[in-house]
Amino acid sequence: MLASLLCACASTPPAVTRTTLSLTVVSDDAPFWQKAANDMHATAPEYSLTVNARTGDAPIHDQIATGNHPDLACFGPKLRIDAAGIPTHFEPLTCHPLDTSNPAASLLAAMDAYAASTIDLLETPDKAALRAKILATSTPDSPACYAALPMLFDLDPTHDITLEENYLIACARAISPAEGQHTHYPDSLPAFLQAEAALLSIQNHFIADNFQNIAEQNSREGHIYGKSLEAYTEFLSKKTLQAEVTALDALHQSDEAGMLNLSYHNAMLLGLIATTSDAMSGERLEDIIRATAPRRTWPAAVIDYRHWIQIHLCQLAVITPDTSAQLASACMPMLRLSTSDADAFENALMLVEHGIYNTRQGPRITTDVLDWLRSVPHDEQILRVRHEFGQRLSTHSGLDEAAREILKSF
């Protein structure tokens, strides 16, 4: 009976206009499913699927799980952005049964189902209406809200934290299966959402309960959520240095996994740690600033937020006594913004000056900082400040001859 149902699923894929779609998944039986993917590609050249052998923690996203009843392909979630970095649509996490007796056809049905699940973010421009629409259509068998996190719609340094927490809890409830209900989706999804809500909470019992729940989720994503909650708990317990180390690790892992909403919380926590620490060193601050650097492939709103964190931390670096030339280089987002105002430019130059005096190994002023100094706008006040800086610092004995000549030329 089950085999006939699976064959029926594979033979009647949802109506979808096929466009180019390239995915990479992991599997415990990679050779078998890679051959099936190649056969599928021959039938539907728009679809390309790379199947790698599973190593390390088992993910719940982008995997072909064999040995289940039934076998499943889980794709996504994936956020699509245009050339300007604006999110245009996304495919939510989509899990689809597979038939090992007809693997290519069932993979094709799974890819079609994934493509058909696409949600157009521009169709409903009002963010609140879009959130409500996605939440209203989310069920245990169609957990669209799991991928449609508030970060995709309302990322802003001053956005409503309470709204985000309520959304996460409401989504977790909407996609939680009833007792005895079986779906094709991992039963850990509600726990992940509750963990993110706990990262916004100050209620100890709520945080502790979700920390315990997430510790039981034996998946790559579960371990990353657990690491993030561990850092947050350490911060609340005033174990600041340990929280910093844990949060740096959590941010690296969530960035690598593309879990951008979780990365938002991790980056925000690192910013709080840096600005509230009683003894923040220049070296540690540089590590945090570099860790919060965005990637070019991310949505513009995510890039803007991460730059916003970096700029605020770099403003803190100006008054941190042991800052280096490398830290000034890490602060290029702040340096680039500073040239519109003479006072801001002088503050930025103070950071560069700290680097010249404090650096003991390597160049006292890096190439990218020198290039920035040479490209400042031809504003009379800015040029005057740059001239005074160049003449004063060009006499520093630690500068190499090339850097000295550039500073003199100002």
Side-chain angles (χ1 to χ4, degrees):
M1 179 66 180
L2 177 60
S4 63
L5 285 174
L6 294 176
C7 290
C9 289
S11 60
T12 57
V16 59
T17 302
R18 290 174 183 154
T19 57
T20 301
L21 185 58
S22 180
L23 300 175
T24 299
V25 299
V26 299
S27 174
D28 289 326
D29 195 0
F32 176 84
W33 288 108
Q34 185 60 68
K35 181 181 183 305
N38 295 340
D39 294 341
M40 175 200 66
H41 180 67
T43 302
E46 302 89 349
Y47 294 159
S48 176
L49 185 65
T50 300
V51 186
N52 295 325
R54 189 197 309 278
T55 58
D57 297 330
I60 62 168
H61 302 160
D62 296 324
Q63 67 153 331
I64 292 176
T66 53
N68 291 337
H69 301 286
D71 297 326
L72 291 172
C74 287
F75 302 136
K78 291 286 188 301
L79 178 65
R80 310 294 176 175
I81 61 176
D82 62 16
I86 306 300
T88 57
H89 58 284
F90 77 93
E91 291 89 12
L93 176 66
T94 303
C95 294
H96 197 275
L98 298 174
D99 179 9
T100 54
S101 68
N102 197 3
S106 61
L107 268 184
L108 179 59
M111 295 282 278
D112 276 341
Y114 180 61
S117 70
T118 298
I119 294 175
D120 189 338
L121 298 175
L122 304 180
E123 192 175 74
T124 309
D126 181 76
K127 296 174 183 178
L130 182 56
R131 275 194 300 270
K133 176 181 175 182
I134 293 174
L135 190 59
T137 58
S138 295
T139 67
D141 290 311
S142 181
C145 64
Y146 167 73
L149 296 166
M151 186 230 31
L152 303 182
F153 311 135
D154 200 15
L155 182 58
D156 184 277
T158 59
H159 81 285
D160 190 335
I161 297 295
T162 303
L163 173 67
E164 182 177 355
E165 184 179 358
N166 289 339
Y167 174 92
L168 291 163
I169 293 172
C171 179
R173 290 172 177 165
I175 67 174
S176 295
E179 187 174 354
Q181 181 182 2
H182 298 287
T183 76
H184 294 321
Y185 290 88
D187 57 10
S188 53
L189 298 187
F192 292 167
L193 292 161
Q194 293 276 11
E196 290 206 34
L199 289 168
L200 297 169
S201 178
I202 57 173
Q203 299 179 33
N204 289 333
H205 288 300
F206 184 66
I207 296 169
D209 288 347
N210 283 289
F211 194 31
Q212 183 176 352
N213 290 339
I214 209 67
E216 299 170 359
Q217 308 301 325
N218 186 27
S219 67
R220 181 190 65 172
E221 293 81 5
H223 291 165
I224 298 173
Y225 277 108
K227 180 69 70 173
S228 302
L229 264 179
E230 181 183 352
Y232 183 53
T233 303
E234 290 167 347
F235 176 71
L236 292 180
S237 302
K238 302 189 184 305
K239 298 177 181 178
T240 308
L241 186 57
Q242 186 57 44
E244 181 183 325
V245 173
T246 308
L248 280 167
D249 186 21
L251 180 61
H252 172 73
Q253 291 190 44
S254 58
D255 281 354
E256 286 297 311
M259 300 164 70
L260 294 183
N261 198 68
L262 185 57
S263 285
Y264 165 78
H265 297 304
N266 290 330
M268 180 171 61
L269 178 58
L270 276 170
L272 283 171
I273 290 170
T275 53
T276 57
S277 175
D278 292 331
M280 178 57 61
S281 69
E283 184 178 354
R284 287 164 53 204
L285 189 56
E286 181 186 341
D287 287 342
I288 293 174
I289 291 170
R290 290 193 181 279
T292 54
R295 303 184 184 186
R296 293 181 181 178
T297 55
W298 288 347
V302 180
I303 293 173
D304 288 346
Y305 175 69
R306 295 287 279 263
H307 278 157
W308 178 82
I309 289 181
Q310 286 189 301
I311 289 164
H312 279 264
L313 294 179
C314 289
Q315 290 169 343
L316 172 65
V318 172
I319 59 172
T320 303
D322 59 341
T323 51
S324 67
Q326 291 301 320
L327 192 149
S329 176
C331 286
M332 287 306 303
M334 185 194 82
L335 299 185
R336 293 190 184 102
L337 279 180
S338 70
T339 55
S340 60
D341 176 81
D343 290 336
F345 187 56
E346 284 193 90
N347 280 333
L349 291 181
M350 191 183 303
L351 180 61
V352 178
E353 185 170 346
H354 286 332
I356 292 174
Y357 279 99
N358 292 329
T359 302
R360 296 292 175 261
Q361 293 182 335
R364 302 291 183 112
I365 184 168
T366 59
T367 301
D368 53 353
V369 172
L370 279 171
D371 288 343
W372 162 72
L373 278 169
R374 285 191 286 194
S375 66
V376 299
H378 289 176
D379 174 87
E380 184 177 344
Q381 277 189 302
I382 295 293
L383 292 178
R384 176 183 56 78
V385 172
R386 185 182 69 167
H387 168 73
E388 293 172 357
F389 172 84
Q391 299 309 301
R392 187 175 73 256
L393 273 299
S394 63
T395 60
H396 194 285
S397 59
L399 290 172
D400 59 49
E401 194 59 34
R404 185 177 289 109
E405 288 302 316
I406 291 173
L407 292 179
K408 283 182 180 178
S409 72
F410 298 152

